[in-house]
Amino acid sequence: MNQANQISPMPDKDWWRGAVIYQIYPRSYQDSNADGIGDLRGITARLPHIASLGADAIWISPFFTSPMKDFGYDVSDYCDVDPIFGTLDDFDLLIAEAHRLNIRVMIDLVLSHTSDLHPWFVESRSSLTNPKADWYVWADPAPDGTPPTNWLSIFGGSAWQWDTRRLQYFLHNFLTSQPDLNFHNPEVQDALLDVTRFWLQKGVDGFRLDTINFYFHDKHLRHNPALAPELRNAQTAPAVNPYNHQEHLYDKSQPENLEFLKRFRAVLDEYPAITAVGEVGDSQRGLEIAGEYTSGGDKVHMCYAFEFLAPDALTPVSVKATQEKFQLVAPEGWACWAFSNHDVMRHISRWGSNVHDVAGYAKLLSALLMTLRGSVCIYQGEELGLPEADLAFEDLQDPYGIQFWPNYKGRDGCRTPMVWEKAAPNGGFSLVKPWLPVPANHLELAVDAENVETSSILNQYRQFLAFRRRHPAFAKGEIEFLDAGNEVLSFTRMHGNEALLCIFNMSEHSVVAELPEGGWEALDGHGFPSEQNERNISLSAWGAWFARRT
């Protein structure tokens, strides 16, 4: 058994249910060797910060060998660390230190596609008859030479790329340098399950599965139908992208995926206390697909869709509708909610561009995220209240932003380096010029600056996570929404003998909220001031109140 497995946290097989997972984008967390790019040793050095937050686990975005056309999401070797991030020995040290701090480690598995430099694809494209000829999605052209279907790439243009070696098209749902694997081939599935076992044997505690609903394509290569304009939204692709003009019935979310996920889960169940969270990218059926993939206890443990990563600001109505819809379409399932990640504008900027009290808004959103039914993902820098970085075109690295500039600026604005020290060069991230610039307005929010400010967003995260841990109903309990008007969100969380009441003022002015029937004892230690006058609660702008049923 790997040494890291021996020192892993106590094997609670349901630790993931209600867990708080801290996402790390390794290029931008901490540079340990002065090359301007974050790395595994840098993550290890900063684990005490995550432990101080009280997070249960980390999720590390890809660090595998890669040409970095999509910054690690284009894998050329699934079982090694790219030299810019370090070595496998560095990863072993990271796991050992995380487990010493009682932090579980989840890694990002990108199974739907590889880099075009992966040896599998190099062999596959070499001929029509080689042993891996059918490991990727190849198709002959239409009679007029055009692509075999009308499927579109999320990164723009056709999802098919002509290959002059095989005189066929290959499928790529993302960059042309990211060919899709053919999951209809059992050998492909077996190879990817072997990859999964490799990392389990290294001691990981779970996986985040990138683009989990993109694994299979329609074997019959049917065209996607058009989607009516009134049904389009920008949840999974920016509004400027014609990807939103199709109903994606055939290029993803195929029924065969359920059987593969059962095979995947069977591998996980060979090891104690392992979990998997799937990313579901679908603008019309995201919650339904998440329900399918988390049903029955024999597929993935939890999924997250894009409802709370969307451009539209949260309201009491939208939060209630999303939670209740998930309960309806996924009665057996479990969600993992996030407001920000490495692919979307940071939520403070996405939703709060017109908010005056940004810090108050950030604190309200953090408390809301951590009291909804489901597990939680926090994206690095979110605990500081970092806004989206405003970068110049010449600073962009993301091919997605370069393609759709200026109406869509890509994902670099949420990927700028973490800021650790207000007065240090590059915010303490690196001793040299970083791969992306550190915005000047981020330095005021650096960890060392917020550490010493009692009322900072960072200290509010710490305080509220500690408050959450004291009340298991927040992590494990059922949820029931109460009618509280258009500005106030009110719900109860119930687990065992504990019933908790949560009231949020989601407006920029003070409100008075009425208590529901029954006896309620106000809870403290969460950082939100309020006044109670018999059955009425006075809440300041972006205020919250929590109580226990007596």
Side-chain angles (χ1 to χ4, degrees):
M1 179 180 289
N2 184 281
Q3 178 68 18
N5 266 332
Q6 296 177 13
I7 60 173
S8 63
M10 292 182 63
D12 171 11
K13 66 181 180 65
D14 286 329
W15 68 267
W16 53 271
R17 194 180 293 274
V20 175
I21 303 164
Y22 184 96
Q23 183 196 351
I24 296 172
Y25 192 69
R27 295 182 70 89
S28 296
Y29 205 58
Q30 179 66 61
D31 172 18
S32 73
N33 62 352
D35 65 354
I37 297 173
D39 45 54
L40 295 181
R41 284 183 177 268
I43 293 172
T44 303
R46 295 298 188 180
L47 285 173
H49 169 73
I50 299 165
S52 80
L53 277 178
D56 300 292
I58 56 174
W59 143 34
I60 310 173
S61 289
F63 50 83
F64 315 111
T65 309
S66 166
M68 299 294 164
K69 297 288 182 62
D70 192 23
F71 302 106
Y73 283 89
D74 49 329
V75 179
S76 57
D77 186 344
Y78 281 111
C79 297
D80 204 356
V81 175
D82 194 278
I84 68 169
F85 296 127
T87 66
L88 284 170
D89 287 343
D90 292 333
F91 183 75
D92 290 339
L93 291 172
L94 189 160
I95 285 213
E97 178 63 6
H99 287 172
R100 187 187 72 79
L101 294 170
N102 206 31
I103 299 170
R104 299 177 189 267
V105 178
M106 302 173 66
I107 64 172
D108 214 325
L109 275 187
V110 188
L111 301 182
S112 67
H113 54 268
T114 71
S115 164
D116 60 357
L117 299 184
H118 196 293
W120 296 348
F121 187 72
V122 172
E123 182 175 355
S124 185
R125 80 188 316 181
S126 66
S127 72
L128 295 170
T129 58
N130 69 79
K132 290 186 172 57
D134 193 38
W135 276 44
Y136 291 80
V137 184
W138 295 96
D140 292 328
D144 62 356
T146 56
T149 72
N150 68 344
W151 302 347
L152 296 174
S153 164
I154 279 192
F155 284 177
S158 172
W160 296 96
Q161 177 68 22
W162 180 250
D163 186 78
T164 56
R165 297 163 182 82
R166 290 183 46 145
L167 300 182
Q168 286 184 310
Y169 284 96
F170 65 83
L171 180 67
H172 63 92
N173 276 296
F174 300 94
L175 293 176
T176 57
S177 56
Q178 292 172 297
D180 275 56
L181 285 159
N182 179 18
F183 275 72
H184 293 288
N185 185 334
E187 292 181 358
V188 170
Q189 295 187 29
D190 292 343
L192 294 172
L193 294 178
D194 286 343
V195 167
T196 304
R197 288 189 182 93
F198 174 86
W199 291 104
L200 288 168
Q201 290 164 7
K202 295 291 285 181
V204 303
D205 302 289
F207 302 97
R208 182 264 191 181
L209 298 173
D210 185 65
T211 58
I212 190 175
N213 58 315
F214 282 76
Y215 292 170
F216 282 84
H217 66 287
D218 174 47
K219 286 193 295 187
H220 305 292
L221 299 183
R222 286 172 283 191
H223 293 290
N224 283 330
L227 184 67
E230 64 271 17
L231 299 178
R232 298 173 192 166
N233 63 62
Q235 286 186 6
T236 56
V240 296
N241 192 339
Y243 187 84
N244 296 317
H245 293 207
Q246 290 186 357
E247 185 176 2
H248 293 274
L249 294 183
Y250 299 116
D251 53 346
K252 60 184 181 182
S253 309
Q254 297 305 291
E256 294 94 333
N257 205 22
L258 296 175
E259 291 306 311
F260 172 74
L261 294 180
K262 291 178 183 178
R263 293 194 67 197
F264 181 83
R265 176 63 176 268
V267 171
L268 301 193
D269 288 346
E270 296 172 8
Y271 297 78
I274 303 300
T275 194
V277 54
E279 175 199 31
V280 175
D282 190 274
S283 294
Q284 278 70 50
R285 292 189 60 249
L287 294 179
E288 288 86 348
I289 294 167
E292 294 169 5
Y293 290 3
T294 58
S295 66
D298 59 354
K299 294 174 278 294
V300 292
H301 301 77
M302 47 187 170
C303 280
Y304 74 84
F306 283 68
E307 273 69 12
F308 290 152
L309 296 169
D312 297 333
L314 298 187
T315 65
V317 171
S318 67
V319 173
K320 178 175 183 287
T322 298
Q323 286 267 290
E324 290 186 337
K325 183 176 179 181
F326 187 82
Q327 296 287 91
L328 178 66
V329 301
E332 302 176 312
W334 193 259
C336 185
W337 303 113
F339 290 168
S340 287
N341 68 17
H342 63 291
D343 279 336
V344 298
M345 180 185 290
R346 289 184 176 274
H347 67 264
I348 293 303
S349 298
R350 195 168 78 243
W351 296 335
S353 59
N354 297 317
V355 169
H356 294 98
D357 180 9
V358 175
Y361 187 54
K363 293 173 184 178
L364 173 91
L365 291 175
S366 72
L368 175 58
L369 177 63
M370 292 181 217
T371 51
L372 295 175
R373 186 175 189 269
S375 300
V376 175
C377 274
I378 296 171
Y379 179 52
Q380 65 182 53
E382 174 183 333
E383 75 274 23
L384 306 176
L386 293 187
E388 184 82 351
D390 187 14
L391 302 180
F393 180 78
E394 53 268 24
D395 290 324
L396 293 191
Q397 303 289 329
D398 182 15
Y400 204 177
I402 294 169
Q403 169 81 1
F404 286 104
W405 180 275
N407 292 321
Y408 173 66
K409 297 183 179 181
R411 302 164 296 178
D412 289 324
C414 67
R415 297 177 174 183
T416 55
M418 184 74 171
V419 281
W420 300 101
E421 301 168 56
K422 177 180 177 180
N426 305 308
F429 166 74
S430 178
L431 296 174
V432 301
K433 182 180 179 181
W435 76 287
L436 283 175
V438 175
N441 64 337
H442 282 196
L443 296 175
E444 298 295 321
L445 302 172
V447 171
D448 67 343
E450 293 206 24
N451 269 336
V452 298
E453 183 187 339
T454 305
S455 62
S456 68
I457 297 170
L458 173 58
N459 282 320
Q460 169 68 16
Y461 268 77
R462 289 171 175 151
Q463 184 176 6
F464 201 88
L465 271 165
F467 172 69
R468 186 180 188 272
R469 282 196 303 275
R470 293 194 294 270
H471 300 283
F474 286 134
K476 311 288 189 186
E478 301 299 318
I479 192 168
E480 181 179 339
F481 287 86
L482 308 171
D483 185 14
N486 293 326
E487 295 179 324
V488 174
L489 179 67
S490 180
F491 55 81
T492 57
R493 300 297 310 276
M494 295 151 289
H495 181 68
N497 295 323
E498 184 178 49
L500 303 177
L501 174 64
C502 309
I503 302 177
F504 297 91
N505 175 15
M506 299 182 70
S507 74
E508 281 205 280
H509 55 83
S510 59
V511 299
V512 175
E514 184 177 347
L515 284 180
E517 293 298 318
W520 298 97
E521 175 191 7
L523 296 171
D524 56 18
H526 46 71
F528 288 92
S530 62
E531 295 181 10
Q532 182 175 355
N533 181 14
E534 295 183 352
R535 307 297 299 176
N536 293 323
I537 306 298
S538 297
L539 295 171
S540 60
W542 311 122
W545 190 79
F546 304 91
R548 178 195 292 116
R549 189 191 299 276
T550 58

